[in-house]
Amino acid sequence: MRDVIDRYEIYCLADPLFYDTLDTQRTKYPDFPISGREVPVGWEHRATDTWLHYGPEDRSLPLQGWKIHVSACLDDAEKTLAAIWDYCVGRRLSFKFLRGPRVVMMLNSKYAERGSSGKLATLYPADEAELEIVLKELGELLHGVRGPYILSDLRYGEGPLYVRYGGFAERYCLTPNRDRVLAIADADGTLVPDRRGPSFSPPSWVTLPDFLRPHLEARNSVTLAGLPYEIEKVLHFSNGGGVYKARDTRTDRPVVLKEARPHAGLDAAGRDAVARLRHEADILRRLEGLDVVPALLDYFTLGEHHFLVQEFIDGTTLSQESVHRHPLTRATLTPEDAAEYTEWALDMLARVERAVTALHERGVVFGDLHPFNVLVEDDRVVLIDFEVAGLAENNSRPTLAHPGFCPPPDRLGIAADQYALACMRLNLFAPMSTVLIPLQRAKVIHLAELVGDTFPVPRAFVEEAVRTILGGDPGQVADRASAAPEAPAPANGAAVSPAGTAPARTSSPAHDLGAMRELPLPGRASWSAVRQAAHRAILASATPGRADRLFPGDAAQFQPGGGLNLANGAAGVLYALAQTGAGRFPEYETWLRERAMTPRPGTGLGFYDGLHGVAYAFEALGRRDDALELVTLCLREKWEQLGQSLYAGLSGMGLNLLHLGEATGDRELTGAALRIADMVAGRLGAVDSVPEVSGSGNPHAGLMRGSSGPALLFLRAYETTGDAGLLDHANVALRQDLRRCTHRSDGQLQVQQGWRTNPYLDEGSAGIGVVLARYLAHREDDDLRQALTDTGPVATLDYYVQSGLFAGRAGMIAALALGLRPGVGPTSPEVSGQIARLGWHAMPYGGGLAFPGNQLLRLSMDLATGTAGVLLALGTVLHDRPVTVPLISPSGAPAGTGLPATTTEGGDR
């Protein structure tokens, strides 16, 4: 989970409330000065969010080959780029470089992708002869330039130049999992994935040029041979280095090796991993003898990498232990379960507080306290990862911190640890919930109330946590809130904090608490009040002046076409607004149409990820001509290469064509859809064609990316044709997904994903159950009926980490509306309970009601992860007109609404 958060944190740098890219912050984070140079005559220039590209107009390049990457620290970046510009322009050599210092920091941070980190510039030699000349000449020009090691490449000598064989042109292919990825051609001309892993591994059919062989030998000569440590297991990787379990060959004792790469893994203060590792060693020496920290055993360098050796703690993280024990993830919650967990959690928290106090008594501030950095070994609690720890006398703030425990700017030194301890008091009872606090600090009062209502936690224990987080007495904050004027909604582009994860906010806790108290919460306020509040928040977030996105959503919207599609883009939001009575918005529809008809290269064709979903939304909005024009555009593309999935592949495409064929009476569309169903059936295989565990490199399971998507296509095609053979295909597809499910100890059936089980609508068992229910409406099957029965409880749990439609509570509400649990309907207590518990995640925005997206680090307005999806799910059970989840609801989707622009029809139930 932490690695997933790390990837999202990069999109938290530009805006305090929404995921965004730094491209919106060019004034604040300018490009390198060299970008202002005039483009040479006869050269082409292209800019992207990250790179500036330059190349001679009359010089063509091969589609793939050996490319040169240049690495440099920020201190050396400008002189390096000046040398590269002069050299490449003089030799008429195509090149690109990162736009500015902030992008370099972002792509070389601790949270960046390891395989692509370290690159400042890329050069494109035409052939191996030019490759050799450029490496030799440019290597001399850049002698002495320092930079991080580029893990995916082979280093040329000891300088800043690296080489890798890969694509020059942007081409794509499908993986065995049917995912669309960048591609190169193999020896037979077949497109295969252009792999960019964290190690140098050229394609098997490519011969390494002879002049590079000595450099490969030099690289391979650096090993652990001769050292008294033998690595047994990788525990963790980050861009700064690795953490390994090893064995001390002298004593046969297990140890931990922590690796640090020079110039890599930068934090907000610009320190690299080596500086932090040295600092951690100093802190561990200061804490020597304490049982609550691992013992420091050794420190050495190998090549340019630094290694710290410490005691191996044979335990589990407090995060893992709490998830394993947590009663809210079980099918039933009894008072005895809640009391037993409360007793354990309070004991754990007391031990953690004693451990932190022991550090303070030695004059050390931990600085990065969260459940992932606490190990539980029998009766021992151990704090780990001291790279950002500091001395109490310095009264400083950590430069890296988990977003759910990162202190606000006014908490320095020991106060920062006290803030994190207070957050942990709530987090152990409501996992991940404290990630919401930086978005709205007054949310802590609401969370505390929910924890107190669910667990027998002493009131004073929770109130103390609230006081610490708010920085004052909650009652006084509430009094100030009653008189506080409403502040305007925060604008995009607020400042990024020194820690890089908790941007500065301009509103006060008093104002935030007032906004929280006035929020119309689902289950408490009327449906009319809730939906209108959600409409206000969504519309307040619109940015029609931007070209990349209209409504802020998940970080995935910054991929080509992501700002347009159903899952994360404008199509899904406009669909949800119209379905729930907000009416239509011609300006926004025009925004979507203009971009969908001239899509960016790389835009998907699929249903939830691409243009087919946009066409579906146009049809639902009454724009049939636009829908048909867009589908025609899609059919001209090489759609046969798509994967099988509902989300991005042939199943979604076939379902959409069936829907449009029925809506328009166009038999050609229906015929095309049935041919696609035949293609999907031909690729399906047998039940045992898929592995028993989903994820971890194996094919996905579930509705959106697994075999349940094809099953839904077969069922819809059967409903159109009456061909019973299609039911046979659906049966096989469903059993493929059930093969990847497991029964938990309480009987729930969830998708097995190795390190976790998944109950959700997109890749979990709830989505499979929705299709099972639809299958059983046509043909009875005892095994599948039992599977549906065992799946039903996953939608009535008390706690879900997220609130979204695809992977959260809203998806469970929609699944219940779609028949996941027979006998449970819109007015059932199970549904009412889930609606009310949406309050765990409810947040104010723009005078309305909003919800956080994936990982809870930022608000989202999109369909898959955010407010639009919650709104649509509530509409399936509360709205006075039928509200459907695109393609998943049995009726497919409504025909065009015919609503006049900006009407607000629909009411309460």
Side-chain angles (χ1 to χ4, degrees):
M1 178 67 74
R2 177 65 189 163
D3 290 339
V4 176
I5 290 177
D6 291 345
R7 292 196 295 272
Y8 272 85
E9 282 182 353
I10 293 175
Y11 292 96
C12 294
L13 296 174
D15 188 277
L17 291 175
F18 300 113
Y19 294 121
D20 208 344
T21 68
L22 291 174
D23 199 43
T24 61
Q25 302 285 303
R26 292 297 170 206
T27 301
K28 186 173 183 179
Y29 304 116
D31 294 341
F32 284 114
I34 198 169
S35 65
R37 285 194 184 184
E38 186 173 340
V39 178
V41 176
W43 281 61
E44 295 177 322
H45 169 53
R46 179 170 60 91
T48 68
D49 292 351
T50 307
W51 297 93
L52 296 176
H53 300 249
Y54 299 85
E57 294 176 352
D58 59 354
R59 188 181 188 194
S60 61
L61 287 172
L63 297 174
Q64 61 194 52
W66 290 98
K67 60 180 72 174
I68 299 171
H69 291 126
V70 184
S71 172
C73 299
L74 273 177
D75 291 344
D76 294 333
E78 290 192 28
K79 70 176 183 181
T80 301
L81 290 177
I84 290 170
W85 179 289
D86 293 340
Y87 180 82
C88 290
V89 171
R91 289 195 63 95
R92 296 177 53 76
L93 182 67
S94 296
F95 67 103
K96 68 177 182 180
F97 57 86
L98 293 177
R99 296 192 63 150
R102 190 63 176 177
V103 179
V104 174
M105 285 282 291
M106 180 179 73
L107 295 183
N108 198 30
S109 72
K110 183 177 180 181
Y111 308 120
E113 291 288 343
R114 298 173 65 237
S116 58
S117 177
K119 301 168 188 174
L120 174 68
T122 305
L123 285 62
Y124 299 94
D127 51 36
E128 291 184 8
E130 188 171 43
L131 172 73
E132 184 174 9
I133 292 171
V134 173
L135 286 171
K136 181 179 179 180
E137 294 179 346
L138 194 59
E140 294 174 357
L141 288 173
L142 299 180
H143 178 73
V145 169
R146 302 161 304 137
Y149 199 103
I150 301 174
L151 296 174
S152 61
D153 291 20
L154 174 63
R155 189 178 190 179
Y156 181 78
E158 297 181 354
L161 302 184
Y162 296 77
V163 295
R164 185 181 79 83
Y165 189 94
F168 288 9
E170 195 172 278
R171 295 186 287 175
Y172 293 88
C173 71
L174 297 176
T175 68
N177 293 352
R178 314 304 293 177
D179 293 324
R180 187 168 179 265
V181 297
L182 287 167
I184 54 176
D186 65 13
D188 297 324
T190 303
L191 290 179
V192 297
D194 185 1
R195 303 194 183 279
R196 307 179 185 201
S199 62
F200 177 66
S201 181
S204 59
W205 67 90
V206 173
T207 301
L208 186 73
D210 288 340
F211 72 89
L212 290 179
R213 292 190 180 280
H215 303 278
L216 180 61
E217 292 170 0
R219 176 185 180 276
N220 293 339
S221 66
V222 180
T223 68
L224 286 175
L227 291 172
Y229 303 109
E230 183 178 304
I231 292 178
E232 297 179 340
K233 181 181 179 181
V234 175
L235 300 178
H236 174 69
F237 276 128
S238 76
N239 188 39
V243 181
Y244 311 92
K245 180 183 177 184
R247 182 174 61 86
D248 187 327
T249 57
R250 298 164 298 186
T251 63
D252 206 35
R253 176 183 181 182
V255 296
V256 169
L257 299 186
K258 294 192 67 174
E259 173 196 27
R261 302 198 300 123
H263 314 303
L266 303 180
D267 60 22
R271 297 190 309 167
D272 69 0
V274 169
R276 291 196 304 275
L277 193 70
R278 285 173 168 163
H279 174 74
E280 180 169 7
D282 290 340
I283 292 293
L284 289 177
R285 293 186 186 100
R286 186 183 184 103
L287 299 174
E288 184 179 1
L290 289 183
D291 190 48
V292 295
V293 300
L296 176 65
L297 304 175
D298 195 2
Y299 191 100
F300 64 91
T301 60
L302 181 65
E304 296 181 358
H305 292 210
H306 289 234
F307 289 85
L308 179 154
V309 185
Q310 67 182 31
E311 172 191 7
F312 173 74
I313 309 299
D314 190 13
T316 57
T317 68
L318 183 57
S319 175
Q320 293 172 313
E321 190 70 20
S322 65
V323 169
H324 174 71
R325 294 171 175 267
H326 210 290
L328 292 184
T329 61
R330 301 174 193 165
T332 57
L333 173 64
T334 67
E336 292 76 18
D337 292 334
E340 179 183 350
Y341 180 80
T342 300
E343 181 180 2
W344 173 84
L346 292 176
D347 178 61
M348 281 292 111
L349 288 164
R351 291 205 233 172
V352 171
E353 292 191 21
R354 288 195 294 270
V356 173
T357 299
L359 267 59
H360 293 170
E361 290 171 349
R362 293 279 184 99
V364 171
V365 175
F366 191 22
D368 194 16
L369 178 66
H370 54 78
F372 294 92
N373 276 352
V374 178
L375 288 179
V376 180
E377 182 188 40
D378 298 325
D379 292 331
R380 185 184 177 194
V381 166
V382 181
L383 307 178
I384 59 172
D385 201 354
F386 286 84
E387 63 180 36
V388 298
L391 300 183
E393 63 191 38
N394 294 336
N395 207 36
S396 60
R397 187 165 179 251
T399 55
L400 286 172
H402 187 288
F405 300 80
C406 181
D410 61 341
R411 312 303 170 85
L412 305 175
I414 288 175
D417 278 352
Q418 291 171 337
Y419 178 92
L421 282 167
C423 290
M424 192 176 287
R425 288 190 177 193
L426 298 179
N427 184 271
L428 277 196
F429 294 98
M432 292 291 291
S433 62
T434 51
V435 178
L436 297 171
I437 295 174
L439 293 174
Q440 181 73 266
R441 240 203 287 177
K443 182 68 178 178
V444 67
I445 294 180
H446 190 203
L447 292 173
E449 291 173 355
L450 293 168
V451 168
D453 290 343
T454 309
F455 294 94
V457 183
R459 181 175 177 179
F461 179 85
V462 176
E463 287 181 346
E464 182 181 348
V466 172
R467 277 195 300 274
T468 301
I469 292 169
L470 289 180
D473 182 80
Q476 294 175 352
V477 172
D479 291 340
R480 296 197 301 271
S482 63
E486 183 171 354
N492 286 352
V496 177
S497 75
T501 54
R505 296 287 309 280
T506 57
S507 58
S508 66
H511 168 262
D512 289 349
L513 181 57
M516 285 296 307
R517 284 188 165 177
E518 296 171 5
L519 204 59
L521 295 176
R524 298 183 185 179
S526 69
W527 164 233
S528 177
V530 169
R531 69 187 180 88
Q532 289 175 19
H535 293 164
R536 285 195 300 274
I538 291 171
L539 295 172
S541 74
T543 55
R546 289 180 60 156
D548 59 340
R549 68 118 194 263
L550 178 56
F551 300 100
D554 189 74
Q557 68 181 188
F558 301 112
Q559 300 300 313
L564 311 181
N565 64 31
L566 269 180
N568 307 118
V573 176
L574 293 175
Y575 176 84
L577 288 171
Q579 285 276 289
T580 56
R584 291 176 51 192
F585 301 89
E587 176 191 1
Y588 299 157
E589 292 175 18
T590 300
W591 184 98
L592 178 59
R593 184 191 187 284
E594 289 175 350
R595 288 157 180 80
M597 296 303 176
T598 55
R600 285 178 57 192
T603 297
L605 299 177
F607 186 73
Y608 275 102
D609 80 322
L611 298 179
H612 264 279
V614 179
Y616 177 95
F618 280 152
E619 168 65 19
L621 292 168
R623 301 180 67 115
R624 178 164 294 173
D625 290 345
D626 289 339
L628 295 176
E629 181 180 350
L630 197 53
V631 164
T632 301
L633 185 154
C634 291
L635 290 172
R636 294 194 191 116
E637 300 294 323
K638 296 179 180 179
W639 55 266
E640 298 90 345
Q641 299 178 3
L642 294 177
Q644 297 278 83
S645 74
L646 167 61
Y647 185 87
L650 293 176
S651 295
M653 181 177 178
L655 282 162
N656 191 42
L657 292 174
L658 280 173
H659 164 65
L660 289 174
E662 179 181 343
T664 63
D666 188 329
R667 294 185 178 180
E668 290 188 8
L669 291 177
T670 301
L674 295 176
R675 288 192 294 275
I676 289 173
D678 287 341
M679 290 179 61
V680 175
R683 298 179 180 179
L684 185 64
V687 172
D688 59 0
S689 298
V690 300
E692 293 184 348
V693 178
S694 171
S696 302
N698 291 325
H700 301 282
L703 176 59
M704 291 295 170
R705 295 180 172 86
S707 296
S708 292
L712 190 61
L713 172 61
F714 299 141
L715 290 171
R716 186 68 186 84
Y718 166 76
E719 292 163 0
T720 299
T721 66
D723 180 358
L726 290 162
L727 287 181
D728 296 335
H729 294 316
N731 186 290
V732 171
L734 285 167
R735 290 179 186 275
Q736 285 182 343
D737 266 358
L738 290 173
R739 173 178 167 82
R740 291 175 275 192
C741 292
T742 186
H743 284 92
R744 288 164 54 100
S745 60
D746 57 1
Q748 294 179 62
L749 189 66
Q750 296 193 15
V751 171
Q752 175 59 258
Q753 292 185 315
W755 62 278
R756 68 169 186 176
T757 59
N758 190 326
Y760 294 117
L761 188 66
D762 59 350
E763 296 186 40
S765 54
I768 300 171
V770 165
V771 186
L772 280 171
R774 189 157 176 177
Y775 176 90
L776 292 168
H778 296 295
R779 178 189 284 176
E780 192 54 52
D781 183 297
D782 290 344
D783 292 340
L784 299 187
R785 176 67 65 183
Q786 186 61 53
L788 177 61
T789 299
D790 295 346
T791 300
V794 304
T796 55
L797 304 180
D798 288 280
Y799 186 77
Y800 301 97
V801 171
Q802 299 177 151
S803 55
L805 180 65
F806 279 20
R809 191 183 301 277
M812 299 310 188
I813 294 171
L816 291 173
L818 293 168
L820 178 63
R821 197 161 190 179
V824 175
T827 60
S828 299
E830 294 89 342
V831 174
S832 301
Q834 295 294 28
I835 292 172
R837 285 189 285 271
L838 281 169
W840 282 91
H841 295 90
M843 304 283 281
Y845 176 79
L849 171 68
F851 290 86
N854 279 356
Q855 306 309 316
L856 311 182
L857 299 171
R858 293 293 184 267
L859 299 178
S860 169
M861 299 299 171
D862 71 26
L863 186 75
T865 73
T867 307
V870 175
L871 177 67
L872 191 72
L874 288 171
T876 64
V877 293
L878 297 177
H879 202 54
D880 64 349
R881 295 183 179 182
V883 169
T884 58
V885 181
L887 294 189
I888 300 171
S889 299
S891 59
T897 61
L899 294 176
T902 63
T903 61
T904 53
E905 298 190 16
D908 294 324
R909 272 193 168 179

